[in-house]
Amino acid sequence: MAELTAFSYRMGFSIVHSLDARFKLLFLVIIGVSGLKASPAGLLLLFVLVLSGLINAGIRLQDLFKELRFFLCFLLFVFAIRVFSTDGTGLIEIYGISLSAGGLKEVLLVCLSLLLIALSGLLFVATTRMLEIKAAIEWILKPFPFVSGSRISTMTGLMMRFIPVIMEQAKETSDAQKARCIENRKNPLYRMVKFAIPLLRRTFDDAGRIAIAMEARCYSDIRTGYKLSSKKNDWMVLFVIILICMATVAYL
């Protein structure tokens, strides 16, 4: 069984847990769009908002950044690539490549916006049960006549359920390689290939077994769904978040 990670649902009774899944999806979109348009002060305010939600949901920040370490490496790579490719007044020049003040500010805003979106998505996943997510996606897609909302919601639910399983398999594969002294191989490409092939094989094998098990049980995406209902708190939080996001874009 996969260990509980930051990408898994965590039982709780916080304010974030009690919100309707449809509203949380809307919050995710509003915060993400506002983060792409906000100034540095506005981004700081949005970070405070999201981190407050994570703390309220009982997610420890040290565990959070441990789970996001690979994403942080990706952001560092994006920063290193873009910081020297943006035009502006040069501050530092290294081997003919100049670092500009405007480029540094722009790249920092981009990376912080991506991190904000990742944290918001993680907060949504950690505080929303899979049944609620499926019901919210199906409700959103219901007005579209040629889109099977139930099928898409089922696929989304299976995909999200697989995230902690894949992370656990990656940990087991990494531990098995360390036990065989993979660190003695200095070629990073060799180590990556030897890590990726077993992980992909185990992932595809598990997916195949799940598909066979679902077919054997005559599983269908036409099922009695979870009933969603909005409450007063949902509308109050929506009003507050809209005001904060408007302030971050228009005034800060």
Side-chain angles (χ1 to χ4, degrees), residues 46 138 155 176 181 201 208 224 235 252:
L46 291 176
E138 189 171 351
M155 294 170 59
C181 302
R201 181 176 179 179
T224 302
W235 295 100
L252 296 179

Side-chain angles (χ1 to χ4, degrees), residues 8 32 63 168 180 205 211 237:
S8 306
D63 295 338
E168 177 66 16
R180 292 165 174 81
D205 287 345
V237 174

